[in-house]
Amino acid sequence: MSAGRFIAFEGGEGAGKSTQARLLAEGLRARGLEVVATREPGGTPGAEEIRTMLLDTRGEGWNPRAEALLFAAARSDHVERLIRPALERGAWVVCDRFLDSSRAYQGGGGGLSDAEILALHAVGSEGLLPDLTVLVEVSPKVAAQRLAARDGGVSDRIGARARDYHARVAAAFAAFAEAEPARFARIDGNASAQDTHARILSALAPLLADAP
Ligand code: TYD
């Protein structure tokens, strides 16, 4: 049996990545592939509990290091219980956010070093990386319009952080994609969902060509 493929979606708030992750999962299923569609933080019961602890706007929140540890702990449970078993049985895993969100938000945004985030990932998840990370990029104006339509101006603890925090996050994502062009596909997400989906399918063509 061939090993499965691991595709992660990344991007800032309002980039449309959740819509794109869903469209891709549907598209892969239509080709007869087994697909596990999941998200971070979350994806398993334990990781969903940690998600609530991280994103709930009640209480005083976490210092940047505790926040990074909690994301890494949630990811560890998710990888161990859901992602690795799925890949081992040959399924495709489509994940809405993964490690690069921690590198961008807790690292670029929150001030931990990239080496620290990668060290937490080495301990928590034995360094598992996606085969391809789809970075969906939109202009700040389009992101603001989509967020207003989706959340009506209400955001979670991290989404509500200041504009310069989110600017650092976007810059960090772009820098990771430039540093590792083989693992990233940078996708312009400003157009319609269907246009963006078509671009993502083209970026996946080499992986799909190898699929059974
Ligand atoms: P979610 O509602 O999934 O946001 P979005 O629709 O924008 O993906 O909430 C996830 C939030 O958690 C989002 O603000 C990004 C943040 N996050 C981190 O800060 N670090 C991480 O490692 C992950 C996975 C998410």
Side-chain angles (χ1 to χ4, degrees):
M1 192 187 6
S2 69
R5 299 286 182 195
F6 181 14
I7 314 295
F9 278 80
E10 298 284 8
E13 328 275 315
K17 44 181 184 48
S18 306
T19 303
Q20 292 304 326
R22 184 175 47 74
L23 289 175
L24 180 65
E26 286 166 5
L28 295 174
R29 281 190 191 113
R31 291 171 187 245
L33 296 165
E34 183 197 346
V35 179
V36 172
T38 186
R39 68 162 181 187
E40 290 210 341
T44 57
E48 290 289 334
E49 287 202 21
I50 298 176
R51 177 188 177 90
T52 305
M53 291 164 59
L54 278 162
L55 299 184
D56 199 325
T57 46
R58 288 168 300 184
E60 59 182 343
W62 306 97
N63 72 62
R65 287 171 187 281
E67 183 177 293
L69 285 160
L70 285 168
F71 275 111
R75 183 162 302 126
S76 174
D77 194 66
H78 191 205
V79 166
E80 167 90 14
R81 295 206 155 109
L82 186 74
I83 297 178
R84 275 199 204 277
L87 294 173
E88 278 163 15
R89 67 173 187 269
W92 284 54
V93 174
V94 176
C95 192
D96 187 350
R97 296 193 182 279
F98 193 67
L99 170 69
D100 295 300
S101 278
S102 283
R103 297 174 71 205
Y105 283 79
Q106 283 66 53
L112 273 77
S113 75
D114 200 41
E116 287 171 323
I117 303 291
L118 292 173
L120 296 184
H121 189 56
V123 174
S125 301
E126 297 170 298
L128 179 71
L129 290 178
D131 293 295
L132 187 72
T133 301
V134 178
L135 175 59
V136 184
E137 296 180 298
V138 294
S139 71
K141 191 172 157 211
V142 167
Q145 282 165 352
R146 288 187 188 159
L147 283 175
R150 183 186 78 178
D151 300 338
V154 180
S155 23
D156 60 44
R157 182 180 292 286
I158 292 174
R161 284 177 187 163
R163 191 184 289 252
D164 68 323
Y165 178 93
H166 291 289
R168 288 201 300 280
V169 167
F173 275 132
F176 303 152
E178 263 172 42
E180 271 188 273
R183 183 167 70 81
F184 279 86
R186 282 179 91 164
I187 302 290
D188 178 343
N190 287 298
S192 73
Q194 280 307 330
D195 284 357
T196 306
H197 176 56
R199 288 188 186 140
I200 291 170
L201 280 181
S202 309
L204 253 75
L207 283 180
L208 282 166
D210 288 349

